[in-house]
Every structure is written in C-alpha cells, then in structure tokens.
Amino acid sequence: MLTDFIGQQMQQCAAHAGQQEVNLSRQLYLSLKKAIQNLIVRTGERLPSSRAMAMDLGLARNTVMSALSQLEAEGYLETRQGSGTYVRYKISGHSVGKRPSLKTEYAAEVPQAISGRGGLLLRQAVADEVEVQPFTQGMPDFSPFPLSLWQKLQNKHWRLSYADMLDYNATGGFMPLKRAIAQYLRMHRNMVLEDDQVLVTTGTQQSLNLCATLLADPGDTVWVEDPLYWGAAQTFRASGLQLQGVPTDAQGLNLSQAEQLPDARLVYVTPSHQYPTGGVLALDRRHALLQRCRDMKAWILEDDYDSEFRFSGPPVSSMHGLDVHGRVFYMGTFSKALYPGIKMAYLVVPQPWVHSFKRAHYDLNRPGLIHQQVAMAEFIELGHFHRTIRSARQHYAARRQALLQALAPCLNSQASISGAEQGLHLCVHLPPQIDDVALANWAKTHGLTVRALSRYAVMRHDLRGLVIGYGYAPLPAIRKDGPLLASLIMRALGTRT
Ligand SMILES: Cc1ncc(COP(=O)(O)O)c(C=O)c1O
C-alpha cells in the first residue's frame, strides 16, 4: 500500500516537474513525506527496509537511503539501531519523540533541483552560525598569536619572492615545512614517519575530503563517533558516504556493539580528545579498533585537532604511533594552535599512498599559498611555534580555569563536565529532560554563544548538554559571563541560584 502510494506520487512528481529536473531521491523524499503527512503511514509505524523499498520501487538503495536520511534529519522519521526506521510525525506538524526537533529548526529551504547529497549537506549546514564558538558572542580574541612576528616573516619572504612561491605546488607542500612538521610529530606525537609522508592542506576539511575521495566510494559506510564533529560529518555527506554512528563514552569510541554494525571502509576518530565530549580513546580500544579495521580492510582517519593544549592528566599519544600496518591516515591542523583563518593543516599518509595522494591533491585542489608555507617553515624552525604554543597554553589554561570556576556552582548529580583536560572547549552534560537546544537559544538571547550537545548526535537520542568554547573568549569576558551562563544552566535544571 505504501509503496503503491509512493510509486503514484513519484510519477505525478516527475510529470509536474516538466522541464525542471527533479532527481529520484528528491521525488521519493517528497512522496514519502506526503505519505506521512496524509497519514498513509502513521507515527510509530515501521517502514519497509531500504532494501525492500528499493526493490519494490525499482530504485537504487542509495537513492532510498538518501531520501530516508533527509526525512530523518527533518524529524519525520527516526532510526532505531538494530530495529528499523519508524515514523515520528504529529498532525500538528511538530515531530514527536523524546528528542526535540533539533535539525528542522535550522533546516533552511534549498532549491528544488538540488542534488540529493547537496540537499543533505545544506539541511544540516552550520554556516549561519560560528563553528569555533567563543562562548561570549562577538568577542573572539587571538591575543596568544604573535601577529607582528608573523607579519615580519611573511614580508621578508614576499621581498625575496621566488618564482616557485607564485605557482601551484605539485609536491604536497613546501619541503622544509613538511620536514619541520614531520620532526614535530616524531618528537611530540610518538609518530614514525618520513618527511615526504606529510601533505600540506588548507584544513582538516580538505584532508578529510582527499581521504574520502581516494579511499571510499559513494554509498560506502563510514563509522563515525556519536556525537560527532560537524565538519567531518558534512564532508562525508558531501562525498555520498553513509554515516554509521558508533557511541562514545568517557573512554572514547565504544566498540562493544561493533560486531553488529555493517562493515565500514573508513573510521573517523578523534582519539586524543573526543570531539565534543573529550574522552581519550583507551589503549585496549585503540588496539581493538586497529584489529577490526585490519579485519574489515578499513582505514582509520585520525583527527588530532587540539593535542597541543593538554592541561592535566597523563600525556596522550597518537593512534598513528601504534599502527604498524599502515592503516592510519593522520590529520593535524594549525587552526587551534595558531588561528582558524590561517587555513593550514597537514595530512600524514601511509608510505604506499604518498604518490597517489600528491597527484590527487594537485588535480583536485591545485595547492598554492607557498609563500605562507615558507613563512611557517621558518616559524617552526626558529622555535616560534613552540614558544607560541607554550604561551598560548598559559592563556588558555587561565581561561579554562576561570570557566571551570564559574561553572562549579551548577555541577551536581544532574550536571557534570567532561573534556576539560585538553583543547579549547569543554562539555557540560545535562539530564535527558532538559531541552538543550532551547537552553542554547536562551543563552544566545543573553549574548552567549554555546551549542547544544544533542545537535552533535548522529543516531543517539540520549545526549543533552552544552559545548562551550573558551579558547577565543577573553579572560575578563569569561569572568563576567561565566557566572551568567552557570545561572542559566541552574535555572534550566530548576536549581536555586
Ligand atoms: C574535531 C575538529 N577537527 C578539526 C578542526 C579544524 O579543522 P580545520 O583544520 O579545517 O580548521 C576542528 C575545528 O573546530 C575540530 O573541532
């Protein structure tokens, strides 16, 4: 009955579209949405599996999955792990279920003729919000970065101006910079690598993109941490990959249920400081993950985005350092260590992949900005990078301390903090009855930019909390606004202030 209805609707949809091309995934999305709105299928009912639906409708399974993901993102459907996809729609037009409608709120209209993956990307886009959020609105502070020194270095190299600096680069980056990065990684991240395994990119997004393009095909599965770093999710969506959330806990990615998951081509992890909750991937789990990836012939994408700033707890090594089978692609960035707009990052690829990645990097990205790479090589070689990190660590430690102090009164059996040992953000966990999206919006009306933890979820419904950045908020602002944020949290919890 459902597939008959959808089949008819899709035909009508194609007929009405006339000249305008509406792809099959969008036709299915519109038809299934109509079936839900017209109560052809009702709240709580299970949909046929994507495989069955694809067979009945004569569509590719990817087409069906893309339409289902879109409806899930809009709150019409919900996937229950190991059980299937269910309708969660109320006549009033509001989605029902335990989790508040998180994504629909931000789902802007997109052009009708957009591709399936483009639609998926834009419906979850955060471009209208800031990604590295200072928890105090409009006040990013980059004072730890030695701007005038950086300017001097750049000016010096502009004056020398070699012809190479003005051209594209086909070698994966300026060699002295690759050497300096490799040396840093050997010393500080316990990594064994050749200089030439380093590729300089314009950011982790570009590193991820290269990996997604060269290591997986559209429709392949990528295991991702749940909750997950938004930027990675968007890159995988845009590459047509299927995101399979794997829950995390205080010890990082929890593989206890992994036997039941579909095999993956890629596994994306932030093992040193899970983003956003901050768990450190335990050693036994690291070994188990490496083994599982060997068994299923998957590649690990290690995003080591903020390991320069560890404030307490034992030092954490990279996963790359444990890998003797060449399965880990390691990503680092200067976005946190220096400043986000610098747009410089690096990707370490296993030796057999070096040549292919260089060629693909050239063909896809036409790398350039060599003049900035020349300045960066000198910045590192002369010890400025170390000095900058050392002094930035002190700045950030003071900000972190001020924030922890401000938040202390709202911590109790219902509210706890994780992830404060490292990096430039921490996470306040709240109980399930709190609508954290509403709380983040409420904070915004007070001039405080924080983000709801539930918005980082891939498949989980149990996450509530706030992700709070402190790296880019000036200390006086944290001292002033931290207590305000704490009082909002307490009021949401119903605690006396
Ligand atoms: C988990 C994670 N990875 C990487 C980055 C940095 O990405 P990029 O190098 O593209 O600036 C961020 C920035 O917020 C992040 O949170």
Side-chain angles (χ1 to χ4, degrees):
M1 157 106 168
L2 174 64
T3 41
D4 289 345
F5 178 87
I6 291 175
Q8 285 165 11
Q9 288 299 316
M10 285 180 72
Q11 276 177 5
Q12 281 178 19
C13 184
H16 282 146
Q19 298 288 20
Q20 201 181 9
E21 199 183 317
V22 180
N23 72 29
L24 285 172
S25 164
R26 175 128 188 113
Q27 286 180 30
L28 176 59
Y29 153 80
L30 291 170
S31 306
L32 191 47
K33 187 153 125 177
K34 193 157 184 187
I36 296 169
Q37 287 170 339
N38 291 1
L39 303 182
I40 305 290
V41 272
R42 290 164 185 268
T43 292
E45 268 186 53
R46 202 173 94 169
L47 291 186
S49 71
S50 56
R51 200 181 298 277
M53 223 186 284
M55 266 178 54
D56 287 347
L57 294 166
L59 298 172
R61 191 152 166 240
N62 280 345
T63 307
V64 175
M65 290 176 74
S66 157
L68 294 181
S69 317
Q70 202 162 310
L71 286 164
E72 184 174 13
E74 292 183 16
Y76 285 91
L77 298 177
E78 106 182 284
T79 303
R80 297 185 200 154
Q81 220 166 343
S83 168
T85 303
Y86 292 79
V87 177
R88 55 185 296 244
Y89 177 76
K90 233 179 17 194
I91 287 183
S92 65
H94 297 296
S95 57
V96 291
K98 278 192 187 153
R99 186 172 155 187
S101 131
L102 312 173
K103 289 169 181 159
T104 37
E105 184 179 349
Y106 296 90
E109 267 309 306
V110 295
Q112 273 249 321
I114 196 157
S115 65
R117 61 186 175 172
L120 207 53
L121 178 83
L122 288 184
R123 282 192 176 76
Q124 321 239 3
V126 297
D128 298 338
E129 309 160 57
V130 272
E131 168 53 24
V132 187
Q133 75 279 29
F135 98 91
T136 307
Q137 206 170 43
M139 281 212 231
D141 169 35
F142 300 110
S143 57
F145 183 68
L147 193 58
S148 60
L149 176 73
W150 182 239
Q151 276 165 347
K152 264 189 216 138
L153 275 179
Q154 300 223 47
N155 289 343
K156 173 179 141 189
H157 289 292
W158 272 129
R159 276 197 302 276
L160 298 174
S161 213
Y162 334 101
D164 282 3
M165 277 174 32
L166 307 178
D167 204 353
Y168 297 130
N169 170 273
T171 59
F174 182 59
M175 194 56 200
L177 177 59
K178 299 202 306 182
R179 197 176 305 128
I181 292 171
Q183 185 61 11
Y184 173 82
L185 296 176
R186 281 182 211 110
M187 298 250 307
H188 296 276
R189 306 303 298 136
N190 280 351
M191 288 169 57
V192 178
L193 75 162
E194 301 292 329
D195 301 343
D196 204 33
Q197 285 176 252
V198 177
L199 253 76
V200 180
T201 66
T202 57
T204 306
Q205 295 303 93
Q206 194 174 69
S207 304
L208 285 168
N209 233 320
L210 275 171
C211 291
T213 305
L214 292 196
L215 304 174
D217 284 311
D220 281 346
T221 298
V222 52
W223 286 2
V224 293
E225 298 167 324
D226 194 356
L228 167 67
Y229 169 49
W230 220 306
Q234 290 292 60
T235 300
F236 297 140
R237 284 188 191 111
S239 302
L241 304 185
Q242 299 295 329
L243 275 67
Q244 171 65 55
V246 182
T248 63
D249 57 28
Q251 300 195 306
L253 198 75
N254 183 343
L255 286 172
S256 60
Q257 308 293 320
E259 287 308 320
Q260 291 149 32
L261 301 179
D263 277 1
R265 281 291 281 182
L266 303 177
V267 179
Y268 168 79
V269 276
T270 47
S272 307
H273 189 228
Q274 201 279 323
Y275 190 89
T277 55
V280 176
L281 189 59
L283 188 61
D284 56 338
R285 292 188 183 186
R286 290 177 185 226
H287 284 297
L289 180 59
L290 283 164
Q291 180 61 49
R292 178 72 201 264
C293 286
R294 270 209 308 281
D295 293 345
M296 63 182 176
K297 298 190 171 47
W299 307 102
I300 296 175
L301 311 184
E302 175 176 15
D303 182 356
D304 199 21
Y305 61 103
D306 67 3
S307 56
E308 297 84 3
F309 301 113
R310 185 140 189 95
F311 304 111
S312 63
V316 179
S317 296
S318 67
M319 254 197 91
H320 188 281
L322 288 178
D323 173 31
V324 289
H325 294 277
R327 299 221 76 85
V328 176
F329 288 73
Y330 174 96
M331 284 153 224
T333 178
F334 292 107
S335 284
K336 304 268 182 186
L338 301 179
Y339 64 97
I342 198 162
K343 296 306 300 165
M344 211 189 293
Y346 42 94
L347 168 66
V348 178
V349 304
Q351 193 57 259
W353 288 92
V354 170
H355 188 51
S356 307
F357 266 71
K358 272 189 203 167
R359 291 171 62 211
H361 190 28
Y362 185 82
D363 274 48
L364 292 176
N365 304 321
R366 289 286 188 274
L369 295 174
I370 294 302
H371 130 269
Q372 187 158 307
Q373 294 187 26
V374 175
M376 181 65 91
E378 197 170 333
F379 190 73
I380 298 175
E381 279 159 12
L382 296 180
H384 299 308
F385 184 59
H386 280 285
R387 277 189 286 279
T388 301
I389 291 177
R390 242 199 342 258
S391 104
R393 207 179 284 136
Q394 283 171 9
H395 276 264
Y396 296 144
R399 294 170 195 197
R400 161 190 178 267
Q401 194 53 39
L403 181 60
L404 286 173
Q405 223 165 349
L407 293 176
C410 65
L411 303 183
N412 54 28
S413 58
Q414 298 200 84
S416 60
I417 286 182
S418 72
E421 300 78 18
Q422 183 169 313
L424 308 181
H425 73 277
L426 55 76
C427 185
V428 175
H429 296 262
L430 297 169
Q433 73 273 15
I434 299 287
D435 182 343
D436 56 357
V437 176
L439 178 55
N441 288 340
W442 191 31
K444 200 166 199 126
T445 64
H446 288 78
L448 310 176
T449 309
V450 291
R451 185 169 287 151
L453 175 61
S454 57
R455 296 192 63 213
Y456 294 82
V458 184
M459 295 173 165
R460 288 172 69 173
H461 298 278
D462 59 330
L463 295 166
R464 297 289 185 282
L466 294 180
V467 180
I468 308 170
Y470 53 81
Y472 303 118
L475 192 54
I478 296 181
R479 292 207 176 109
K480 176 173 154 286
D481 291 325
L484 171 60
L485 184 59
S487 78
L488 298 182
I489 296 172
M490 282 192 278
R491 279 157 66 186
L493 286 169
T495 325
R496 283 173 168 279
T497 57

